[in-house]
Amino acid sequence: MVSRKKMANGPTSKAPILAPVPTSRLSPSLRFLLVIFSNLVLTASLISMTAQFTAGDVSSVSRRVEGWGEILGLVGWRAAEIAVAWVAEYDNVDVASLVLLSHMPHLYLLTTFYGVRPTTMLATLSVDVLATYIPFRLLRNVSPTHLTEVPKGAVANRSLLTDSMIKVFTVILPASIYAVVVFGSFGSWLPVYLVIHFDGLKDISAAHSAALPYLMMSFLPVGYAAREFLFTPTIGAKRGLGDIKGSAFNPETASLSETVYYNIWGYSKRTKSLIQRTGTLVAIGSFNTWLQTYVTIEGAEGYGAAGWASVWALAATITGAAFWWIGDVEGVSN
């Protein structure tokens, strides 16, 4: 395991920041509309292409969506997810990681307790991820923190982003956290809760036979997505002029409003970015899990869907806190 002291060490570059790659000449509003439109088109196309592999699997446990209100609600939520990612200036890796983390819990429920084949889960999740990754890749520049070769001076803490051991550790850590939270829920309150609030569960034995090492291995893709969404962009975030001014807070000359703001939100660039991203993951992941579970699974109650979503919200919160802790060492900028 990589020590926290080792993570703090490494050369700091004083090279000038590289000029960003020129963005599309299309206006931001037009690119935003194109992202939403292409996402919906890609989703429909990919679902049609994978239908022969997933036919009958999910429909056997799905609640019939009736009326334009429910249909528009699901489509509207998908557009809202894209809008949040666009406004937050996430790149293709960010949004693909967020989609994987927020869409996986609903599909994991179907695979674990409703007898849906793992291949169906993988196909459905791949559709969701690709349908967001491709439009963002085409219409928005990749963040320097997600480049294969991180340019010198383009990000903070470059040595941490390029260290192979740290890359492995920051995948295993969140995978382990998710596995422990799910394993602990399976071994305590969750089985009874599912039986009470989910009418039509096909098999609850998976909760009693779950093995922690197997869960850790199966959650490695989740760990990778959590690293790319929470750790990599925040540990590599460079301070802007506003952040530098904020860090120069003087309590003797500051006004009351400036003092209150500093006491509430006077954190480092890394910490603020991590709080924002963790909050986004918890909010979007919780609501999407609740919505997809309650609206689309036959026999699911609202309370049941909320309880299932809370498991993953807790795992995401602990993961964000763990990433803050391992980065809160001497020598890490921001």
Side-chain angles (χ1 to χ4, degrees), residues 9-22:
N9 294 331
T12 56
S13 173
K14 296 183 178 180
I17 299 176
L18 298 182
V21 178

Side-chain angles (χ1 to χ4, degrees), residues 239 241-254 258 262 266-267:
R239 294 193 302 170
L241 182 59
D243 301 303
I244 296 174
K245 289 181 178 180
S247 63
F249 173 77
N250 187 345
E252 296 181 356
T253 60
E258 291 173 337
Y262 181 81
Y267 303 110

Side-chain angles (χ1 to χ4, degrees), residues 273-328:
S273 179
L274 186 55
I275 291 173
Q276 291 169 337
R277 283 176 174 263
T278 303
T280 299
L281 173 57
V282 171
I284 290 183
S286 297
F287 186 76
N288 185 76
T289 301
W290 177 86
L291 181 68
Q292 295 292 339
T293 302
Y294 177 59
V295 173
T296 66
I297 298 181
E298 183 66 39
E301 298 178 5
Y303 285 116
W308 179 249
S310 70
V311 174
W312 308 93
L314 176 61
T317 302
I318 296 175
T319 299
F323 279 148
W324 173 82
W325 180 76
I326 64 175
D328 188 37

Side-chain angles (χ1 to χ4, degrees), residues 29 52 83 140 165 205 224 232 242 246 264 274 308 315 332:
S29 58
Q52 58 179 321
R140 170 162 282 174
M165 289 297 295
S205 63
Y224 178 83
T232 300
I264 295 176
L274 186 55
W308 179 249
V332 174

Side-chain angles (χ1 to χ4, degrees), residues 261-276:
Y261 177 83
Y262 181 81
N263 289 331
I264 295 176
W265 196 239
Y267 303 110
S268 66
K269 174 71 172 180
R270 180 185 65 85
T271 299
K272 288 193 288 187
S273 179
L274 186 55
I275 291 173
Q276 291 169 337

Side-chain angles (χ1 to χ4, degrees), residues 28-70:
S29 58
L30 181 56
R31 282 187 284 132
F32 170 62
L33 294 176
L34 284 174
V35 163
I36 292 181
F37 177 75
S38 58
N39 173 263
L40 297 177
V41 171
L42 276 172
T43 300
S45 301
L46 292 173
I47 288 176
S48 300
M49 293 171 60
T50 59
Q52 58 179 321
F53 305 106
T54 62
D57 230 4
V58 177
S59 60
S60 61
V61 298
S62 296
R63 174 182 292 163
R64 190 178 186 84
V65 179
E66 299 178 351
W68 283 103
E70 292 184 350

